[in-house]
Amino acid sequence: MPAKELSPAPDPAPAARARSRVLAALLAAGGGPVSGADLAGRLGISRTALWKHIESLRRDGWPVEGRPHHGYTLDPGAARELAARRFVPELLEARRLGSRLGHTVHWYPEVGSTNDVARRLAEGGAPEGTVVVAGRQVAGRGRLRRFWWSPPGGLWMSLVLRPTLPPERLPLLTLAVATAVAEAVELLAGRPVAVKWPNDVLVDDRKIAGILLETVTHPHGAEYVVAGIGVNLDVQGEPVPEELADRITWLGREAPQPVTVNDVAETILQRLEARYLQLHGEGGEPVLAAWRSRAAWLGEPVRIVLPGGEVEGIALDVAADGSLVVEQAGGTRRRILAGDVQRLRPLGGTPEAGSR
Ligand code: BT5
């Protein structure tokens, strides 16, 4: 079944986004002056409203200067400095204005799980591309409600998607998100990044990011999907839990230069938008090919832990429906829809640590 046309990228209410548009215009001017009259005219707001947005930006630490008959200016270095210190939601919004994903960013210092917040927003009609980011999560979760460690300094982000994919292509969304996150991390880390079926992102076999997609369906497909993405950036705030210590890594350790939460969120959203549109427009094959090209453990002996048992065999491929194809002893092939993959050492040695 072909994908239905995606509706045009949502255009959030101008009033709600005016502050980000003001910031975007100041940043785009590269430090040069922006005339207040022109800017107010372009945004369709009054000079008084513009002034209030400027004041609000200043209160949040943006050094916007204003001179009569000259206009407003913003030192471009200020954006970099601010983003180096903390996540700056309006900077992400300003850079994603006009895009499908990331045009609206809700930031919270602390939440239970960003997936729950995004879900509530989706239920309330939030447009596709709405993003929730939290400074930390106290009840971050993985699949099967497993614990997801989310200390301050990491990227804990969830995104509202409203895909118009045919039901059989929906499972590929997880692979599309995993591929996009791996591509973004690779761009920032400058190191090869692998994906592990179904949803892990690894550097040197250590998990650097995880993905949790939660789908609310109607009879013809997805009503909406919340795509939760967790990326480890910095772990100085809290000691790494003992059980994760030798199994995880973080961007601060892998990247050659400092990377900010803003950079990671923006790069992921760029890559994800490209893969998301591709999955709608070109079918599943390009996403599958991209996923396969960085897949860890294909061709290797694995054990898959399923809700009701285990399967051992060679991990052969990922199928067009996103399932993992495993060849068991005797040549029987099985398609696995959900499970945890462990690498088995060749010749039946001890399995490596389980669900990374
Ligand atoms: C995942 O589950 O990998 C999905 C993680 C999704 C997290 C994001 S953060 C934003 C959004 N809000 C949420 O509440 N969740 C999403 P799974 O494949 O089940 O892996 C879980 C396992 O990863 C755990 O059992 C631990 O072994 C390991 N783990 C926990 N925290 C980790 C971390 N920070 N980095 C790497 N591995 C971790």
Side-chain angles (χ1 to χ4, degrees):
M1 204 199 286
K4 274 190 275 157
E5 286 270 305
L6 273 171
S7 55
D11 187 16
R17 303 274 69 87
R19 197 179 102 122
S20 290
R21 286 171 198 249
V22 171
L23 182 64
L26 292 168
L27 290 170
V34 179
S35 138
D38 285 357
L39 187 53
R42 256 196 287 155
L43 300 181
I45 56 176
S46 66
R47 295 289 298 274
T48 316
L50 174 64
W51 182 81
K52 283 187 180 153
H53 291 307
I54 301 268
E55 281 300 297
S56 137
L57 286 168
R58 284 177 177 150
R59 275 196 303 276
D60 281 350
W62 294 95
V64 182
E65 296 198 3
R67 276 197 282 145
H69 314 299
H70 182 72
Y72 294 106
T73 53
L74 174 63
D75 170 12
R80 281 194 296 278
E81 267 173 44
L82 213 58
R85 288 203 302 271
R86 61 171 172 91
F87 177 68
V88 190
E90 62 271 31
L91 182 60
L92 184 58
E93 277 185 353
R95 290 183 171 157
R96 300 298 299 161
L97 267 178
S99 308
R100 182 158 210 102
L101 309 181
H103 45 76
T104 308
V105 180
H106 299 261
W107 184 80
Y108 303 86
E110 180 181 301
V111 297
S113 159
T114 52
N115 267 31
D116 293 338
V117 179
R119 212 178 163 127
R120 282 199 291 280
L121 290 170
E123 292 289 344
E128 168 152 279
T130 301
V131 166
V132 175
V133 178
R136 68 190 291 241
Q137 299 185 113
V138 291
R141 62 172 183 270
R143 290 173 299 146
L144 307 171
R145 303 220 151 238
R146 283 188 287 231
F147 140 86
W148 182 260
W149 182 55
S150 320
L155 173 68
W156 321 120
M157 170 166 88
S158 297
L159 190 66
V160 176
L161 299 174
R162 298 189 182 276
T164 55
L165 295 167
E168 69 275 9
R169 214 183 296 161
L170 263 181
L172 295 185
L173 209 44
T174 301
L175 303 189
V177 178
T179 304
V181 172
E183 288 169 339
V185 172
E186 189 163 293
L187 279 168
L188 296 163
R191 311 220 21 218
V193 177
V195 289
K196 194 193 96 179
W197 188 86
N199 67 339
D200 288 353
V201 177
L202 312 174
V203 175
D204 280 344
D205 270 1
R206 285 170 173 257
K207 187 156 166 175
I208 194 163
I211 287 143
L212 178 68
L213 260 63
E214 295 179 319
T215 304
V216 172
T217 50
H218 57 61
H220 315 291
E223 172 88 29
Y224 64 85
V225 176
V226 168
I229 298 168
V231 183
N232 300 321
L233 257 97
D234 189 2
V235 295
Q236 285 163 9
E238 280 177 22
V240 181
E242 209 180 319
E243 71 271 26
L244 298 179
D246 59 349
R247 304 201 276 130
I248 73 168
T249 189
W250 49 95
L251 262 167
R253 179 168 116 159
E254 305 292 344
Q257 73 293 326
V259 177
T260 67
V261 179
N262 264 88
D263 294 334
V264 187
E266 188 186 348
T267 314
I268 288 178
L269 291 169
Q270 276 167 4
R271 292 309 312 145
L272 185 51
E273 181 154 332
R275 291 292 176 198
Y276 186 67
L277 294 178
Q278 186 177 50
L279 189 60
H280 279 82
E282 297 173 37
E285 210 31 65
V287 163
L288 278 167
W291 189 89
R292 276 187 199 111
S293 74
R294 51 177 75 239
W297 309 357
L298 283 187
E300 294 190 30
V302 292
R303 170 180 298 153
I304 296 138
V305 181
L306 307 169
E310 291 182 355
V311 172
E312 283 189 14
I314 307 290
L316 278 190
D317 195 8
V318 63
D321 62 356
S323 59
L324 184 69
V325 185
V326 179
E327 187 169 271
Q328 293 176 277
T332 329
R333 288 188 180 187
R334 270 186 73 168
R335 285 180 173 213
I336 311 288
L337 286 167
D340 281 306
V341 184
Q342 303 174 342
R343 174 150 56 178
L344 289 176
R345 293 191 197 290
L347 306 176
T350 351
E352 299 226 326
S355 83
R356 288 177 175 247

